[in-house]
Structures are given as structure tokens and as C-alpha cells.
Amino acid sequence: MVKKVAVIGAGVSGLSSLKCCLDEDLEPTCFERSNDFGGLWKFAETPKDGMTRVYRSLVTNVCKEMSCYSDFPYQEDYPNFMDHEKFWEYLREFAEHFDLLKYIRFKTNVCSVTKRPDFSETGQWDVVTETEGKQDRAVFDAVMVCTGQFLSPHLPLESYSGVSQH
């Protein structure tokens, strides 16, 4: 029986997780709350979804040889250090090359991930999602959380005296 995997987030790690699932003959479904893949690398002048995004003048500070997927090198004509548009283009090429987009459900929020009542026997999870106001529930054998570390800012302002929290 093919194992079903929920992948939450279609950014850099979500895309690579989708590919790894397919490499292992698993059946992935990716849930992405925005209308496109790329996570924080998808530039938006004024993000409406509250997500952190790259800024207009961003250029990577890691060379292309160290920032590519191990099984999908950058094209030779790519610059050593890329602006956000070129990096997002690379993500698009990766997603299209491995035919990943068909596994992504866009504009879908994950509402909850809970162990099923028989989890100790099956290891399965209940995943509740919402797409355009309609809730859905599905059972998965595994869940990969690929939401990234930049979703919500962590500002330890209480650690610094004299810093206003307003």
C-alpha cells in the first residue's frame, strides 16, 4: 500500500520534500496557503497574507554551488550570487522539471494536524484543511511541516531594557 504524505508549505523545503516523497514512491499532497510556490522567495510589493517575503533589492549571500538542490544544479549562465527573481526562477525550473506543481493545493490553509485515535497502531494523522471557506479532512501516514522559520517574527524585546514594545 502506498503511503500518503501531507507536506505543509510549498517553499524551498516543501518543494524538495515533494520530490523526495516521489523518489521514495510515496503519495504526497502539498498544502500551500498562498496562491503560488516559493514561500518567502516569492516577492510581493505588499504581501496581503501577512507572510514574510524577500525585499526588492535582495541578493543571495551564498554562492550558487552551495545553494542549489543536490540533484538539480543551476544553469551555467546563472550568476554566482542571485537576486530574488533569479532564485525564484530556479525554484520554478526545479518544480517544473520534476513535475511537482500537480501535487500542490494552493490557497489552502492547514487548520489542524492531529493523531488519529488508532495512532499507536497505524501512525496515521488527521489533517483538516480549508480552501476558499470549505473545510476538508484527510488521513495521512506521515506529515512534513515545511512552513519555514520566518513565518512569525520572534522579537525577544523583554530581554533588552529600555526597548519599547509598541
Side-chain angles (χ1 to χ4, degrees):
M1 181 168 86
V2 176
K3 300 255 186 206
K4 293 175 60 177
V5 180
V7 177
I8 304 172
V12 173
S13 59
L15 292 174
S16 61
S17 295
L18 275 174
K19 185 196 175 288
C20 288
C21 285
L22 295 170
D23 288 347
E24 297 296 323
D25 295 322
L26 302 172
E27 185 180 305
T29 301
C30 181
F31 302 104
E32 170 55 44
R33 71 181 190 161
S34 73
N35 63 354
D36 211 343
F37 63 91
L40 67 85
W41 289 99
K42 182 62 179 173
F43 176 76
E45 195 66 53
T46 52
K48 294 176 178 64
D49 52 16
M51 288 181 62
T52 302
R53 305 279 188 181
V54 293
Y55 50 91
R56 179 181 298 286
S57 61
L58 182 121
V59 175
T60 60
N61 62 355
V62 178
C63 69
K64 67 181 181 182
E65 292 81 10
M66 297 300 291
S67 62
C68 67
Y69 293 119
S70 61
D71 56 355
F72 195 75
Y74 289 105
Q75 295 178 29
E76 285 296 318
D77 64 342
Y78 270 44
N80 256 346
F81 299 93
M82 287 165 272
D83 62 21
H84 65 83
E85 290 174 311
K86 200 67 166 170
F87 188 80
W88 189 85
E89 178 68 16
Y90 169 74
L91 294 178
R92 185 190 60 72
E93 290 169 0
F94 177 82
E96 289 178 357
H97 179 80
F98 292 109
D99 202 17
L100 303 178
L101 299 180
K102 67 184 179 185
Y103 298 98
I104 303 172
R105 289 183 44 195
F106 293 105
K107 296 184 180 178
T108 302
N109 283 309
V110 175
C111 304
S112 67
V113 177
T114 54
K115 292 179 180 179
R116 291 186 49 79
D118 60 354
F119 180 83
S120 59
E121 291 87 39
T122 66
Q124 291 182 323
W125 301 85
D126 278 320
V127 177
V128 177
T129 58
E130 185 175 320
T131 308
E132 296 176 359
K134 181 179 176 288
Q135 280 204 344
D136 190 26
R137 177 183 308 269
V139 176
F140 290 91
D141 299 297
V143 177
M144 301 176 84
V145 180
C146 302
T147 55
Q149 62 181 348
F150 302 111
L151 185 59
S152 301
H154 174 67
L155 304 172
L157 298 178
E158 68 281 352
S159 300
Y160 302 96
S161 62
V163 175
S164 173
Q165 294 189 31
H166 303 294

